[in-house]
DNA sequence: ATGCCATCCCGCGGATGA
């Protein structure tokens, strides 16, 4: 069957629960929404989604980070942390939806905390690579979607939107992303739109959105069989223009019906 | 120019974000 799923760094779900609910109501084809930076613990997650019939799974923590899944279909949670990422920070939750495994991730920014902070970012990339290998070896179709906090190439950020030494541009950050591609994953946006500016984040400061001074940092990486089913990747840029928006916008992946195997 | 803006915390300014 076809499958549509999405990712949105919401920058506090308690502040923007109504925006998410409105978005879900206008995007009925979206089966699963992956959220990052919910910035609360599970018991603080707004109840309106479950009250409206959605299935909700939360890996939360106080004040910072936190990821969640909001689904129209029942989910099986496989893990609420990324194996091999040695941290208590809530940055990963993974679920099975039919025959597809979805990993929802919030990668460390890497600009704070000095060398240890940047090492944490690289550690997450390394753990994600090993998670990909494990899922591949288990024969699973999977997608890693979320806020990767990396601009993969110079085409993925507006001139002067970041300082040249920013952790989002660091060669080792980009190498971590490329290593996932080399393991066989497909960058869904670049598969369909090989060139051009396709930003997913605009800073709150200095009129970045009005100047289109953005970044492409929210990505979906697809395993080979899912990449074969990819039909569209859309960036819901209009959400950035709403009242009190997140600084990120939703990205939506559509997959066609799986082909049945012959012989 | 490392601020501009926005979130969180049992706040009264600081850490974090990217």
């Amino acid at each position: 069957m076809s499958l549509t799923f999405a990712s949105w760094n919401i920058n506090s779900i308690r502040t923007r629960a109504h925006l998410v609910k409105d978005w879900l109501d206008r995007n009925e084809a979206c089966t699963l929404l992956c959220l990052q930076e919910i910035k609360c613990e599970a018991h603080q997650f707004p109840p309106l989604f479950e009250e409206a019939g959605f299935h909700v799974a939360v890996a939360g923590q106080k004040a910072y980070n936190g990821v969640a899944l909001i689904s129209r279909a029942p989910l099986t949670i496989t893990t609420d942390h990324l194996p091999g990422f040695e941290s208590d920070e809530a940055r990963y939750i993974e679920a099975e939806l039919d025959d597809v495994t979805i990993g929802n991730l919030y990668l460390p920014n890497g600009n704070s905390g000095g060398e240890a902070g940047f090492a944490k970012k690289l550690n997450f990339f390394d753990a994600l690579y090993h998670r990909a290998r494990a899922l591949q070896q288990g024969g699973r179709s999977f997608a890693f979607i979320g806020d990767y906090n990396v601009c993969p190439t110079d085409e993925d950020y507006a001139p002067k939107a970041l300082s040249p030494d920013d952790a989002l541009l660091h060669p080792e950050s980009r190498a971590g992303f490329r290593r996932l591609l080399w393991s066989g994953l497909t960058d869904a946006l670049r598969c369909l739109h090989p060139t051009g500016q396709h930003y997913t984040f605009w800073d709150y400061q200095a009129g970045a959105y009005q100047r289109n001074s953005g970044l492409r940092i929210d990505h979906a990486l697809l395993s080979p069989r899912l990449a074969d089913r990819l039909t569209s990747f859309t960036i819901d840029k209009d959400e950035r223009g709403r009242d009190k928006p997140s600084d990120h916008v939703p990205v939506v992946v559509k997959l066609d019906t799986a082909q049945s195997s012959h012989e």
Side-chain angles (χ1 to χ4, degrees):
Chain A
M1 60 190 293
S2 63
L3 175 63
T4 299
F5 58 99
S7 172
W8 195 359
N9 179 320
I10 198 60
N11 186 19
S12 171
I13 186 60
R14 288 178 294 175
T15 299
R16 280 177 259 285
H18 59 292
L19 282 181
V20 174
K21 182 61 167 54
D22 284 353
W23 189 88
L24 287 166
D25 290 343
R26 285 181 282 111
N27 290 268
E28 289 193 359
C30 180
T31 300
L32 171 68
L33 175 61
C34 302
L35 297 173
Q36 304 89 36
E37 284 206 87
I38 63 169
K39 294 189 172 179
C40 67
E41 296 177 288
H43 71 271
Q44 301 171 302
F45 198 88
L48 75 158
F49 300 102
E50 288 186 322
E51 290 168 2
F54 290 94
H55 302 261
V56 175
V58 177
Q61 71 179 80
K62 185 181 284 191
Y64 298 115
N65 309 315
V67 290
L69 303 169
I70 301 179
S71 176
R72 297 184 195 276
L75 296 170
T76 301
I77 303 303
T78 48
T79 179
D80 63 0
H81 69 282
L82 179 61
F85 178 60
E86 306 302 333
S87 169
D88 292 334
E89 295 176 349
R91 293 181 175 275
Y92 189 82
I93 188 167
E94 186 187 277
E96 291 178 349
L97 184 60
D98 297 326
D99 60 338
V100 177
T101 297
I102 306 278
N104 171 19
L105 64 105
Y106 174 49
L107 224 134
N109 174 303
N111 280 308
S112 66
E115 283 188 30
F118 188 64
K120 185 169 65 182
K121 178 171 198 164
L122 299 183
N123 173 232
F124 194 106
F125 266 121
D126 191 56
L128 196 60
Y129 170 79
H130 286 99
R131 187 63 181 164
R133 292 293 300 273
L135 291 167
Q136 283 161 351
Q137 286 164 15
R140 294 289 302 176
S141 289
F142 64 96
F144 289 155
I145 189 168
D147 178 358
Y148 283 71
N149 266 320
V150 62
C151 303
T153 75
D154 285 346
E155 199 172 15
D156 295 316
Y157 71 104
K160 298 176 186 169
L162 292 172
S163 120
D165 60 349
D166 195 284
L168 279 63
L169 308 178
H170 196 286
E172 289 187 81
S173 303
R174 288 174 163 180
F177 188 82
R178 286 199 308 276
R179 189 183 185 202
L180 292 166
L181 300 180
W182 293 336
S183 82
L185 304 188
T186 292
D187 179 341
L189 179 118
R190 285 303 179 203
C191 179
L192 296 170
H193 309 284
T195 63
Q197 294 177 352
H198 299 275
Y199 303 141
T200 65
F201 165 95
W202 295 263
D203 200 287
Y204 288 120
Q205 302 182 85
Y209 182 61
Q210 289 71 21
R211 296 183 293 114
N212 195 28
S213 179
L215 313 175
R216 184 174 83 95
I217 52 178
D218 299 276
H219 310 298
L221 297 187
L222 308 178
S223 69
R225 282 200 301 277
L226 290 191
D228 273 348
R229 295 168 55 186
L230 177 64
T231 57
S232 80
F233 184 101
T234 54
I235 299 170
D236 200 346
K237 184 175 180 180
D238 289 348
E239 282 299 317
R240 187 63 180 78
R242 291 168 71 92
D243 189 43
K244 301 285 283 183
S246 170
D247 38 8
H248 298 248
V249 297
V251 299
V252 185
V253 178
K254 291 185 182 175
L255 305 180
D256 205 348
T257 303
Q259 298 299 308
S260 58
S261 60
H262 302 286
E263 276 80 27

